[in-house]
Amino acid sequence: MADARKRGARMVVVDPICSHAAAKADEWIPIIPGTDGALGLGVANVMVNELGIYDAEYLKKGTNAPYLVAEDGHYVRDAATEKPLVWDAGDGAAKAYDDETIRDDALEGSYEVDGKKCRPAFELVKEHLKKYPADKVGEITGIPAETVRRFAKEFG
């Protein structure tokens, strides 16, 4: 940790009490006990929806973020193979997630596949995160909204 700090890393401790680690940190952010989940979602919201800090290429190729989700909450699947489908924005068509002809997995948008309205999973995550704006998170956690935003930007 000392070597990382010499290279410019900062240690920020989020803790209800000023513990030993918090006392040695560059910054201690006191939080109401049991509200760390709200802080995590608020930080993610700021990073994704306010600052646009996320690795789109990794999400497209290394996760299920582009998988299409129907209104019933289930993946839209290929009828023959049962493989989850993604929307290829390059071809404007749904394809199996592992189709080698995919040019550009869509992470956002609304589509219709076999009569089912659907959206990529990442869009649903972004929508869920919007329920945790920094102001609301501040009320829940006791951490000022400006601190939540600054922390998210630094972390990102």
Side-chain angles (χ1 to χ4, degrees), residues 1 5 9-15 21-22 24-30 39 143 147 150-152 154-155:
M1 187 62 170
R5 289 175 109 176
R10 287 180 13 100
M11 184 167 91
V12 178
V13 174
V14 179
D15 198 337
K24 293 183 179 265
D26 295 297
E27 181 178 7
W28 167 48
I29 301 176
L39 177 61
I143 299 171
T147 302
R150 180 183 49 78
F151 178 66
E154 290 175 2
F155 189 72

Side-chain angles (χ1 to χ4, degrees), residues 70-133:
E71 292 177 318
D72 65 4
H74 292 93
Y75 290 143
V76 178
R77 296 180 179 271
D78 179 76
T81 66
E82 287 296 309
K83 291 180 179 180
L85 298 176
V86 300
W87 190 262
D88 182 355
D91 285 340
K95 297 180 180 179
Y97 76 96
D98 61 351
D99 187 320
E100 293 184 12
T101 68
I102 295 173
R103 294 178 17 208
D104 184 21
D105 298 87
L107 291 175
E108 299 180 58
S110 295
Y111 308 98
E112 189 168 321
V113 178
D114 297 330
K116 294 181 183 177
K117 292 181 182 178
C118 53
R119 298 185 291 166
F122 184 66
E123 179 155 316
L124 299 175
V125 170
K126 286 182 72 172
E127 185 177 289
H128 179 71
L129 292 174
K130 287 179 183 176
K131 297 176 186 174
Y132 295 89

Side-chain angles (χ1 to χ4, degrees), residues 12-15 29-32 34-47 129 132-134 136-138 140-145 147-149 151-152:
V12 178
V13 174
V14 179
D15 198 337
I29 301 176
I31 187 171
I32 295 171
T35 63
D36 48 326
L39 177 61
L41 289 164
V43 167
N45 178 53
V46 171
M47 289 174 67
L129 292 174
Y132 295 89
K136 180 179 176 182
V137 168
I140 295 168
T141 64
I143 299 171
T147 302
V148 173
R149 284 191 180 92
F151 178 66

